[in-house]
Amino acid sequence: MATHKLQLEDFDQIDYDLIAIHTPLEDYRLAFKINQQLDILLSKNKEEIPVEVNKHIASFSRFTFDDENRMMCWHLIQNKQAIEFTIEQDKNSLFDEKSVSKQVNLITELKKVDFLLKIEHDEQINNKEIINKLKKIDSISTVYEVDINEIKSKNNLIF
């Protein structure tokens, strides 16, 4: 009987592009404006992306649109999330517990990025055209393409 070995490189194929978005907008407002500008239909996904940080779970919201005509899937993903956890104090302390808020990122290398637009596709797409359309949204300060090969925490983008 013949054995077939699978190499990890067989599963490393990257078939998506990633665009970083800097904006003060809320996630639902940004999704609405992107829908208008790119003529897509991003909608809130009930399944958020959970990431464990210091024994606490941070959930990152996402909006998705599966474009069957162009064989593409769009994901607008929150990259920043504030988690709140408590630190126990000394018994002699005036306060029993201290509440601390900490900002965590889905992609740790992109700490200043507010949202990520992940575009899964089979064929080549024109990212410059998408970026130029996104730059027309008045509340977006910066938009640029991210080199996926330079990201160490790209496993967080697998869902």
Side-chain angles (χ1 to χ4, degrees):
M1 178 178 228
T3 59
H4 180 70
K5 290 184 180 179
L6 294 176
Q7 303 294 326
L8 288 177
E9 293 81 31
D10 295 342
F11 299 102
D12 264 355
Q13 180 182 356
I14 297 173
D15 57 346
Y16 62 88
D17 292 319
L18 201 61
I19 297 173
I21 301 173
H22 295 259
T23 181
L25 287 175
E26 296 287 330
D27 55 0
Y28 64 92
R29 290 183 189 267
L30 180 61
F32 176 75
K33 291 186 179 226
I34 290 174
N35 284 342
Q36 289 179 322
Q37 199 62 250
L38 298 180
D39 196 28
I40 59 176
L41 296 171
L42 289 168
S43 61
K44 178 85 169 163
N45 193 319
K46 292 177 184 173
E47 295 179 23
E48 293 187 339
I49 304 167
V51 175
E52 186 176 340
V53 179
N54 296 338
K55 299 180 184 176
H56 294 86
I57 299 292
S59 296
F60 296 90
S61 68
R62 67 177 170 146
F63 290 74
T64 57
F65 172 59
D66 190 11
D67 188 352
E68 294 176 2
N69 294 334
R70 293 188 270 181
M71 296 176 54
M72 297 171 65
C73 191
W74 301 75
H75 302 274
L76 177 64
I77 308 161
Q78 178 184 24
N79 190 47
K80 291 182 180 178
Q81 179 69 17
I83 59 171
E84 198 167 301
F85 53 94
T86 56
I87 299 174
E88 292 184 17
Q89 298 286 329
D90 256 349
K91 290 185 180 180
N92 297 333
S93 176
L94 187 59
F95 303 103
D96 290 338
E97 296 178 343
K98 182 179 178 183
S99 181
V100 177
S101 182
K102 180 180 179 182
Q103 178 184 306
V104 294
N105 297 85
L106 181 66
I107 305 299
T108 54
E109 297 87 357
L110 303 172
K111 292 186 189 286
K112 297 190 185 244
V113 174
D114 298 305
F115 294 93
L116 298 164
L117 186 62
K118 177 183 173 186
I119 308 167
E120 298 174 2
H121 53 83
D122 290 335
E123 299 176 7
Q124 190 66 25
I125 60 172
N126 188 350
N127 287 334
K128 289 185 180 184
E129 181 181 336
I130 293 169
I131 290 171
N132 286 335
K133 286 182 179 181
L134 290 174
K135 284 181 180 178
K136 292 179 183 176
I137 298 173
D138 57 352
S139 301
I140 292 179
S141 57
T142 309
V143 180
Y144 53 90
E145 189 171 359
V146 176
D147 185 3
I148 300 165
N149 296 318
E150 293 181 7
I151 297 176
K152 295 177 186 173
S153 57
K154 62 184 155 203
N155 287 342
N156 291 343
L157 294 173
I158 300 172
F159 39 81

